[in-house]
Amino acid sequence: MLLSFALIILSGLAMGWLFSKIRLPRIIGMLVAGIILGPTVLNILAPSVTDISGDLRKIALIIIIAKAGLSLDISDLKRIGRPAVMLCFIPATFELLAFILFAPSIMNVTRLQAAILGAVMGAVSPAVTVPRLTKMIDEGYGTKKGIPQMLIAGASADDVYVIVLFSTLVGMEAGGNLNALSFLKIPAEIILGAGLGAFLGFLLSIYFKKIHIRDSLKITIIMAFNMLLYWLEGIAPVSGLLAVMTMGITINMKMPFVSKRLSVKFTKLWVAAEIFLFVLVGSTVNIAYVTEAGLGMILMLFIGLLFREVGTYISIVGTGLNTKEKIFCLISQLPKATVQAAIGGVPLAMGLGCGNIVLTMAVISIVITAPLGALGMDATMHKYISNDKTDETTLEE
C-alpha cells in the first residue's frame, strides 16, 4: 500500500505539472496518471488501495466542500439575494432535465438511469472554479457586485443538491422502484442536514472561543465531525455534505477571522486530496469501454451543458451584470471534475447495470469540460471583470 501511495502522489504531481506546462488543468494530468497506473495499462496499484479508493475520494470531497463553507460569507449571499439562491439549483435542474428528456434515446438507458446520469453531470466543479473565484475575491475582481461570492455559493450548494438527488436516485435503481414517496426524502435530508450542520458549527465556534488551541488542531476536530456527518448520511435521512458546508458557514459567521485562517489550512489539505481523488478515479477507468462509448455521450454532454447555460442565464437575469460579466458567469458553469470524480464510480461499485456508463460519462465530462472551463475563466477573468480594488485606489488619487 505504501508503494501505491507513493506512486499515486509522484505520478499525479508529475503529470499534473506536465499538463500545466501545456496550459491544461493539472487534474487532467492526474486522471491520465491514474489510467496509466490502473488495471488497463500497468496495473501496479495494490488491491488494498483500490478497495479504499471510495473512502479516499469521499474525504477529498469533504475537504473541498468544507473549504467552500468556511469561505462563504452569508452577508454577501444576503446582499446578492435571489441569483445566489437560484444558482444553487436552477442550472443543475436544467441539466438534469436535459438528461431525462434526451439521454434515453441518445444513450439507450432507462429514464431512471438517465436521471442518475443527470445528477452526476449536474454539478459544476469546485476543484476548478472555487480556487479561481477565491483568488478573484483576494484580488478584488467583481467583489462589489458579488460575482465571485455568488458563483462560489452556486458551485458549492449545487454539488450538495445533486449529490442528495444522486443518492436518492441510486437507491431507487438498486431497489428497483421509483415513486413519489421516495422524493419526499429530499427536502427532509436538506432541512435536517442544514440544521445539524448549523448546530454543530455553533457549538464548535463556542468551543474554539473558550478553549485556545492551534488552528491545526481546530482543522483536525472539524474534519472528524465532517467525516462523522458524511457517515451519518448512510444511516439517517440527513444530507451529510450539506451539513458539512453549513457547519463551515456557521463557523464563518461566528468567527470570521478564524474562519479565514482555517480556509487557508483546508486549501493546503486539498493539495494532497486532489491528487488522490483524480488519480484514483483515473485508475478505475475502463479504456475499452471509453473507446466504445461513441459520440452519443459527447453529444449528450453538450446538450446538458446547453440546458445548464440557459438555467444559469435565467438565474442571473436582472442582477445588473453587464454582458461581459454574464459571459464570465456562463463560462464558470462549464467545468466538471470534483463531484463527477467523487460519485461517478459509485453505481459501478454497487454493481448497477448503468455503472460503466455513468463512470465513463463522468470521465469524458472531466476531460472535455475541465479544460474548457479553466482556460475560459483564466482568459476572461481580468478582461471581463473589473478590479474593484484598483477602481477604489484610482478614486482616492
Side-chain angles (χ1 to χ4, degrees):
M1 184 180 288
L2 292 179
L3 175 61
S4 295
F5 280 173
L7 291 173
I8 288 170
I9 294 170
L10 295 176
S11 64
L13 286 172
M15 294 299 290
W17 174 84
L18 180 62
F19 272 64
S20 68
K21 288 300 180 182
I22 56 176
R23 296 185 61 80
L24 289 174
R26 299 183 321 117
I27 56 177
I28 306 299
M30 294 173 191
L31 272 177
V32 173
I35 292 172
I36 294 171
L37 295 176
T40 56
V41 183
L42 297 180
N43 192 25
I44 56 176
L45 292 181
S48 55
V49 172
T50 56
D51 289 343
I52 64 169
S53 65
D55 291 324
L56 293 174
R57 295 199 300 269
K58 288 178 182 178
I59 292 172
L61 186 58
I62 286 171
I63 289 171
I64 195 64
I65 294 296
K67 172 180 165 43
L70 289 167
S71 301
L72 277 178
D73 188 338
I74 202 70
S75 62
D76 286 332
L77 298 185
K78 289 179 180 178
R79 177 168 57 86
I80 298 163
R82 175 191 60 83
V85 175
M86 292 183 71
L87 282 172
C88 294
F89 66 94
I90 294 295
T93 300
F94 270 63
E95 193 163 6
L96 175 65
L97 180 63
F99 275 84
I100 292 174
L101 291 175
F102 297 103
S105 56
I106 293 176
M107 301 178 63
N108 193 28
V109 294
T110 67
R111 197 72 67 183
L112 179 55
Q113 290 171 347
I116 292 172
L117 281 163
V120 174
M121 293 297 106
V124 70
S125 170
V128 177
T129 60
V130 169
R132 288 169 171 79
L133 295 170
T134 51
K135 183 181 178 183
M136 285 177 66
I137 294 174
D138 294 338
E139 296 179 356
Y141 281 92
T143 51
K144 279 188 176 178
K145 291 186 178 180
I147 295 171
Q149 299 95 320
M150 175 179 70
L151 295 174
I152 285 175
S156 305
D158 88 333
D159 287 359
V160 177
Y161 171 61
V162 298
I163 288 171
V164 171
L165 286 175
F166 172 80
S167 301
T168 303
L169 293 168
V170 166
M172 294 178 190
E173 176 73 5
N177 64 322
L178 177 63
N179 55 64
L181 187 61
S182 301
F183 285 98
L184 293 178
K185 293 172 54 182
I186 296 174
E189 290 177 359
I190 292 173
I191 293 170
L192 289 173
L196 181 58
F199 177 69
L200 286 175
F202 177 74
L203 292 181
L204 284 177
S205 63
I206 293 175
Y207 176 74
F208 292 153
K209 285 179 180 178
K210 291 189 174 183
I211 307 297
H212 179 72
I213 56 176
R214 296 172 61 90
D215 286 345
S216 299
L217 188 53
K218 291 187 181 80
I219 290 293
T220 304
I221 294 170
I222 290 172
M223 276 301 297
F225 277 105
N226 285 344
M227 289 185 280
L228 185 62
L229 288 170
Y230 204 179
W231 167 81
L232 190 62
E233 184 175 85
I235 62 172
V238 173
S239 172
L241 283 179
L242 181 58
V244 168
M245 189 174 74
T246 308
M247 186 169 74
I249 292 172
T250 305
I251 293 173
N252 191 9
M253 290 174 62
K254 298 295 182 181
M255 309 174 68
F257 296 109
V258 173
S259 179
K260 187 174 291 186
R261 298 200 308 267
L262 297 180
S263 179
V264 172
K265 294 283 187 181
F266 269 102
T267 301
K268 295 177 180 179
L269 280 179
W270 176 244
V271 172
E274 181 183 47
I275 298 171
F276 276 91
L277 175 61
F278 288 98
V279 173
L280 288 172
V281 167
S283 71
T284 62
V285 173
N286 186 330
I287 295 296
Y289 196 86
V290 172
T291 55
E292 293 171 5
L295 297 177
M297 285 190 178
I298 298 175
L299 174 62
M300 192 60 241
L301 173 65
F302 281 100
I303 291 174
L305 286 175
L306 178 61
F307 271 63
R308 182 180 190 86
E309 299 292 60
V310 172
T312 302
Y313 189 81
I314 291 172
S315 301
I316 60 177
V317 164
T319 55
L321 301 184
N322 61 40
T323 301
K324 288 184 177 180
E325 290 166 341
K326 288 178 181 176
I327 291 173
F328 177 80
C329 290
L330 293 175
I331 292 172
S332 74
Q333 295 294 303
L334 292 176
K336 302 185 183 299
T338 320
V339 171
Q340 289 72 28
I343 66 176
V346 171
L348 183 63
M350 293 175 63
L352 301 183
C354 61
N356 262 318
I357 295 174
V358 174
L359 177 60
T360 304
M361 187 80 191
V363 172
I364 287 176
S365 72
I366 296 170
V367 171
I368 293 175
T369 65
L372 281 177
L375 295 175
M377 290 180 73
D378 290 342
T380 57
M381 181 191 303
H382 300 101
K383 293 180 180 179
Y384 288 10
I385 309 295
S386 62
N387 189 315
D388 298 323
K389 287 184 179 179
T390 301
D391 293 344
E392 287 175 1
T393 303
T394 304
L395 287 173
E396 288 174 2
E397 293 175 352

